[in-house]
Amino acid sequence: MDDKRLEELADHYDTHDVADELGEATEHPPVARDDVMIVSSIRLPKATMDRVREAARQEGVKPTALMRRWIERQLDLTERIAAERESAQEEHLALLLRRAVRQELQDAGLRGA
């Protein structure tokens, strides 16, 4: 916003009562803490941002909405892969533990080969 526009707005609000406008305002329910949006900046090469804008245009959404969707999808995928990897590691560890116990039982003569 340039200085001229700021001066125009200042003059307007210095000479007008906004009480009537506030009375016509629509009340909105409070936003849950986890649903509050924050602003974060990211530096992208112009060519990359041009590609994002084109993809967003093709999908009929704003570039920021498309980037948010991509980030959320990637986070979901990363979390799912991590959970699957952890589960696989737990299964592998359980298998190794069973083998070790079986071997210990065999070595102690408590279980047949």
Side-chain angles (χ1 to χ4, degrees):
M1 189 175 305
D2 62 20
D3 290 341
K4 181 180 179 195
R5 181 66 181 141
L6 285 173
E7 192 63 35
E8 289 171 357
L9 287 170
D11 288 342
H12 173 79
Y13 288 107
D14 284 344
T15 58
H16 291 80
D17 182 7
V18 295
D20 291 337
E21 294 174 26
L22 290 175
E24 296 171 6
T26 304
E27 187 174 339
H28 296 278
V31 177
R33 177 176 236 142
D34 289 343
D35 294 333
V36 172
M37 298 292 222
I38 62 164
V39 175
S40 180
S41 70
I42 180 173
R43 293 179 187 265
L44 296 173
K46 182 183 180 317
T48 300
M49 192 62 210
D50 289 343
R51 292 170 59 202
V52 170
R53 286 186 182 110
E54 177 58 23
R57 186 193 64 73
Q58 290 178 6
E59 291 197 29
V61 298
K62 293 181 180 181
T64 53
L66 184 59
M67 289 189 294
R68 183 172 45 252
R69 184 185 321 154
W70 287 344
I71 290 169
E72 289 171 349
R73 283 182 185 166
Q74 185 61 43
L75 287 171
D76 289 345
L77 177 62
T78 300
E79 290 167 358
R80 191 168 50 247
I81 289 171
E84 289 171 3
R85 183 176 296 136
E86 184 177 325
S87 176
Q89 288 173 342
E90 289 172 358
E91 288 176 21
H92 183 67
L93 183 58
L95 176 63
L96 291 174
L97 185 58
R98 283 193 302 272
R99 286 181 182 168
V101 168
R102 186 179 303 127
Q103 186 63 47
E104 285 294 320
L105 291 172
Q106 287 176 353
D107 291 350
L110 299 173
R111 180 176 179 156

